[in-house]
Amino acid sequence: MGDDDSDQPTIDLVADGHEVLPELPIQRLVDFERLTVEEKESFRRELTEEQKEILRQSNVEPENIMFITRDNIHLVENQMLKLHESMPTSTIEERHLKAEEQKGWANLQSNIQLEIEKERILEARKKHEEMFDTWKIDCPICLENISFRSSQVCHFNVCCGVEICKSCDEAMRGRVKGCPLCRAPSRFYGSPAWLKSLKRSAKRGVAGAQHYLSALFSATLDGSKFGVRQDIGEGNRLLFLAAEQGYPLAQYQLGLNMMLGSGGIERDIERSRELLRLAAEAGLLDACSTRANSLYSDEEGSDNSLAIQYATVAVAGSCDIDQGHNSILGKSFLYGLDDLPKNGFLAQHYLTAAVRKGLASAETLRLCGQAILEQNKATYGELCLVPGHCSVSDAMYCFDRAIDRDDSEAKSLARELLDVVSRQCAFCGREAKDDETFMKCGKCQAVHYCQKSCQVAAWKSGHKINCTAKYKPPTGFAKLMPGGILPPGVDPETGAGLRIMLPDGTCHTIGSDANGK
């Protein structure tokens, strides 16, 4: 940057290529005198009327806006680093201001990285469609072609045996009282006539009806409220019929049952893999996730490149479950594995998504903690303890959950982190003396303070935003569940209210018998 700041134009606003970000004031961002005419033009573009209105309200001149995109961000990266390095940090206010500037710049970079990642995902979808005969249907209402679907993307109309997209189903419900296609009344749903229609469609060979009816007979859905008595044998017969017709949802369900030996079906690993492969090739997102994990974990022989392909397709839509696709992508981005570049932001993005599902392995939890810390250091240049910008409590939460599952590496990482943060006040930045012990936050128990006034000030100035309650290992029945997470309404100590499937295929609700067991 030039020595005379007065010769440089003031950049009042920065945009990420799509929307103006008035909350991100970065002054003297770049020395325009050192840019070529072409480079200067790369930062300019026509403003929409909405953007001009934002400017008028902010009292900002349009010529003082610089749009940063993936094509020109490299022109200012080094200058941004120098700008941040030159900012003073001698007072608490100055440290907060610098952290805000750094976070704003990181957010802008993240938007561009997500834009690039979306393109990679779309390319993976296109490649998958070229490689396999994917399952596609045309919604008879909006005529949109639906592919790469999960079980929640379409709605099966039992009355007429036709599938429509979920958005059309939800839109038509408020306008049409009943089925939007055959006009069957709303009261028809769940009635004896509805069940008779479903059975008639299944007998006629409609795969969707066979799969739906199978779920009612097998108690995958609660068929008792529809007057369907549980019949595991009949449910499995219908499931096999639907799978033989190439219905991906049936192939996926049958594949899972064969993998686990559940639902009254004998365990058959080879046949299970074949069914899951067919469902994944058809583009069923849940099956893509399951197959990605199977390929990545050596269950079928390691094929990481294909596993990445399936994992990427799984995130292309609203995948109902996570059998490992987020973890696979997060780990690969964290270390730069399997032809994916090392990218701390995307690593944290995917690993955090995996952890939020509640079924993350100890390794995924540990890697998520690592990714959170590494991204924090990349954003702020070092581990940042400034309230509102500190990620220590989030990282410790992940490490503690991994430690609860006997992960020794997580235990070592947590100890190293606490050795650092316990010696520095997370508000004023003062270092502890040799014989001094700082107090810790009573909620997250991760960050430390030299005195009570610092703790109170830190909470008010931002720690309440990123304070994650310390992880407490689940007790009672919850200890038996993945991640210690139980469905709503289930007693965490006794498990009362939890509906489970027994080895013989029958279903049972815990606490529903006479003895309450």
Side-chain angles (χ1 to χ4, degrees), residues 304-320:
N304 288 1
S305 61
L306 189 57
I308 292 294
Q309 167 74 13
Y310 276 115
T312 304
V313 171
V315 301
S318 54
C319 188
D320 297 337

Side-chain angles (χ1 to χ4, degrees), residues 40 156 174 194 199 205 218 221 239 283 287 296 308 311-312 350 357 370 379 442 444 446 455 469 476 478 494:
K40 289 179 183 179
F156 179 75
W194 172 85
K199 290 181 177 180
S218 304
L221 298 176
L239 188 62
Y296 201 83
I308 292 294
T312 304
Y350 282 119
K357 295 284 185 177
Q370 289 180 254
T379 298
C444 67
Q455 182 179 16
T494 65

Side-chain angles (χ1 to χ4, degrees), residues 283-348:
L284 187 66
L285 300 178
D286 299 344
C288 287
S289 179
T290 303
R291 182 149 173 77
N293 190 56
S294 179
L295 290 167
Y296 201 83
S297 61
D298 286 332
E299 290 180 12
E300 295 186 46
S302 180
D303 188 344
N304 288 1
S305 61
L306 189 57
I308 292 294
Q309 167 74 13
Y310 276 115
T312 304
V313 171
V315 301
S318 54
C319 188
D320 297 337
I321 62 170
D322 182 359
Q323 291 283 16
H325 63 269
N326 282 310
S327 302
I328 291 169
L329 293 173
K331 181 178 180 179
S332 297
F333 276 119
L334 182 63
Y335 294 121
L337 305 174
D338 312 314
D339 299 325
L340 290 181
K342 188 173 182 179
N343 188 309
F345 166 72
L346 291 177
Q348 180 181 346

Side-chain angles (χ1 to χ4, degrees), residues 165-369:
C165 70
K166 203 73 171 181
S167 58
C168 282
D169 175 59
E170 293 173 353
M172 296 299 290
R173 282 185 183 182
R175 299 166 55 189
V176 179
K177 295 183 178 180
C179 176
L181 296 175
C182 69
R183 296 298 191 269
S186 300
R187 64 179 182 275
F188 178 74
Y189 177 75
S191 66
W194 172 85
L195 182 59
K196 185 176 181 180
S197 177
L198 178 61
K199 290 181 177 180
R200 187 164 54 245
S201 295
K203 188 174 182 179
R204 199 168 65 242
V206 178
Q210 292 172 336
H211 176 252
Y212 199 126
L213 190 58
S214 167
L216 294 177
F217 274 120
S218 304
T220 304
L221 298 176
D222 188 1
S224 59
K225 61 184 180 182
F226 301 119
V228 178
R229 184 174 297 178
Q230 186 173 331
D231 187 336
I232 299 298
E234 179 62 12
N236 288 336
R237 184 186 73 82
L238 291 167
L239 188 62
F240 271 97
L241 288 175
E244 287 172 0
Q245 291 192 65
Y247 194 65
L249 288 170
Q251 292 172 329
Y252 176 66
Q253 184 61 55
L254 186 57
L256 288 182
N257 288 350
M258 285 185 173
M259 177 187 292
L260 301 173
S262 62
I265 296 177
E266 291 185 8
R267 195 177 187 200
D268 187 337
I269 298 299
E270 291 302 317
R271 180 60 178 151
S272 166
R273 289 174 179 170
E274 176 65 14
L275 287 167
L276 292 174
R277 179 186 66 80
L278 291 172
E281 290 179 357
L284 187 66
L285 300 178
D286 299 344
C288 287
S289 179
T290 303
R291 182 149 173 77
N293 190 56
S294 179
L295 290 167
Y296 201 83
S297 61
D298 286 332
E299 290 180 12
E300 295 186 46
S302 180
D303 188 344
N304 288 1
S305 61
L306 189 57
I308 292 294
Q309 167 74 13
Y310 276 115
T312 304
V313 171
V315 301
S318 54
C319 188
D320 297 337
I321 62 170
D322 182 359
Q323 291 283 16
H325 63 269
N326 282 310
S327 302
I328 291 169
L329 293 173
K331 181 178 180 179
S332 297
F333 276 119
L334 182 63
Y335 294 121
L337 305 174
D338 312 314
D339 299 325
L340 290 181
K342 188 173 182 179
N343 188 309
F345 166 72
L346 291 177
Q348 180 181 346
H349 174 78
Y350 282 119
L351 288 168
T352 301
V355 170
R356 284 175 178 166
K357 295 284 185 177
L359 303 176
S361 65
E363 180 191 33
T364 298
L365 289 163
R366 169 170 41 83
L367 292 177
C368 186

Side-chain angles (χ1 to χ4, degrees), residues 5-24:
D5 288 343
S6 62
D7 293 336
Q8 300 180 39
T10 297
I11 304 303
D12 294 309
L13 294 177
V14 177
D16 68 354
H18 300 290
E19 70 176 308
V20 176
L21 307 175
E23 73 279 6
L24 184 59

Side-chain angles (χ1 to χ4, degrees), residues 360-367 369 395-411 471:
S361 65
E363 180 191 33
T364 298
L365 289 163
R366 169 170 41 83
L367 292 177
M396 280 301 304
Y397 182 81
C398 291
F399 289 151
D400 285 343
R401 286 183 62 184
I403 292 170
D404 189 44
R405 303 184 189 187
D406 300 321
D407 190 303
S408 58
E409 290 185 53
K411 190 173 185 179
Y471 171 72

